[in-house]
Amino acid sequence: MAARRRTLRILTGAAAVCSALVSTALVPTAWSRPVPPPADVRAEAATAGTAAATAGTATSEEPAAGTSAAGAPVADGPATLCAPAGVLRGAGGERAVVSVCAGSGTPVMAVSAPASCRRAGTSVRYACLTSGSWTARRDGATVASGTLPGSQPYPGPGTYDITASVHVRSTPSGVDLRGTVRASLTLTAPKQRPTHRVEVDRLTLRPGTTTTLTYRVYRDSEQGDGSARFGLIGEEASGVRISTADARCVNPLVGRAPSRDRLGYAVDCALTDLQPGRAATVRVKVRLTSACSTVVSKLGYWMPRGQALYTGGMVEGPTVGCS
């Protein structure tokens, strides 16, 4: 009887192997439809995963991705967002696929319109040069505009409808197209709090008069240092003259050495003592002829980050008009 039982077991095992081989030949390959692991293996994996998750929750000192140590959401860092904006076509089979990109997370919103070019009937791999202008609208109101590529102060988070008038040329030549493209971009980075600002005591000049303007330059951030470069400039063709007795300021020198010619319609001031709680005061005299001239201002500042090269910024100051 023992020999009979062994024979039956051997025959049963062989039948099982044959059945498995036939089944394998009839089902798809393993990579097309993975076979799930046995129930006991799944149970072990689930237990291990739960244990690992529990251990991580109990012992990890690192905040979860996208949150601070206090659990608050972390502001988005600098990033560029792009979206398809349109396709330009020419009569000779030229084609340019244009996107609109906007950068956020810095004090400025940088806008560009990269494109890919091709021409029917050729295998040439073209590189595209894109130029032109752009306008950004938020909630129907124009909030920024400029040249392509170009930057304007970042208006803050929101959905922007950007319209760009583009001129696309290829290298090597073969594609030369113009047109208007549009894209909608949603930027989420918060608007950075300004670190510096400029104020002036009046905003209007009159022709044929000499007016004293008093500017106040503020540094509101603990970051950085007291260094800044403050500049004023009028309209050259108007004959405006800007002068000051402030030792920190000069009319910029122009021309090749040994020329001592200076721009009479501009003033440049080197400020070194800006501190939170103590502004710098700059007084200038603006003399107008019978022609009007606006006076614009800007402030460049340095925000050191070790020995990194590009660590500065630029603030647009008030524009003093004329009427």
Side-chain angles (χ1 to χ4, degrees):
M1 285 297 291
R4 180 180 177 84
R5 283 196 296 271
R6 283 198 299 272
T7 302
L8 288 174
R9 281 198 294 269
I10 292 172
L11 292 174
T12 302
V17 171
C18 290
S19 176
L21 290 174
V22 172
S23 299
T24 302
L26 294 177
V27 300
T29 56
W31 56 262
S32 64
R33 188 171 65 187
V35 178
D40 56 343
V41 175
R42 290 200 301 271
E44 290 179 9
T47 303
T50 303
T54 303
T57 303
T59 63
S60 175
E61 297 181 0
E62 294 295 328
T67 61
S68 65
V74 175
D76 292 343
T80 299
L81 180 66
C82 297
V87 179
L88 305 182
R89 293 180 173 85
E94 308 96 327
R95 189 171 186 266
V97 180
V98 185
S99 297
V100 166
C101 300
S104 64
T106 67
V108 297
M109 179 170 71
V111 177
S112 60
S116 60
C117 302
R118 72 179 187 181
R119 184 175 184 134
T122 179
S123 59
V124 176
R125 297 175 65 89
Y126 292 107
C128 289
L129 301 173
T130 306
S131 58
S133 61
W134 60 275
T135 300
R137 294 179 177 83
R138 185 175 59 186
D139 298 326
T142 299
V143 294
S145 61
T147 58
L148 285 172
S151 302
Q152 289 293 324
Y154 177 48
T159 298
Y160 295 87
D161 295 315
I162 301 179
T163 301
S165 297
V166 297
H167 181 196
V168 181
R169 294 167 294 149
S170 66
T171 302
S173 62
V175 176
D176 192 330
L177 300 170
R178 295 177 185 267
T180 300
V181 296
R182 295 175 178 83
S184 180
L185 299 174
T186 298
L187 304 178
T188 59
K191 185 175 181 178
Q192 289 191 359
R193 189 174 180 178
T195 60
H196 295 69
R197 56 192 168 95
V198 181
E199 297 177 355
V200 68
D201 63 342
R202 62 184 300 161
L203 293 174
T204 305
L205 303 172
R206 293 190 178 277
T209 63
T210 299
T211 305
T212 298
L213 298 177
T214 300
Y215 289 88
R216 298 273 287 174
V217 181
Y218 297 85
R219 172 181 157 220
D220 297 323
S221 173
E222 299 289 342
Q223 297 180 335
D225 59 29
S227 298
R229 197 72 172 265
F230 179 54
L232 304 168
I233 189 167
E235 299 173 41
E236 179 180 6
S238 70
V240 62
R241 289 294 178 265
I242 306 176
S243 60
T244 180
D246 195 317
R248 300 169 297 178
C249 306
V250 296
N251 294 99
L253 184 67
V254 293
R256 293 175 60 88
S259 171
R260 305 303 296 171
D261 293 340
R262 294 182 179 273
L263 297 180
Y265 57 91
V267 162
D268 188 7
C269 306
L271 309 178
T272 58
D273 57 357
L274 290 178
Q275 291 179 298
R278 184 174 75 173
T281 300
V282 177
R283 292 183 178 87
V284 300
K285 288 186 177 181
V286 180
R287 178 169 58 86
L288 294 182
T289 64
S290 58
C292 257
S293 172
T294 58
V295 176
V296 302
S297 59
K298 57 185 176 181
L299 181 75
Y301 57 90
W302 187 30
M303 300 286 282
R305 290 194 299 272
Q307 292 182 326
L309 180 59
Y310 297 105
T311 62
M314 185 74 72
V315 171
E316 181 182 9
T319 296
V320 180
C322 178
S323 62

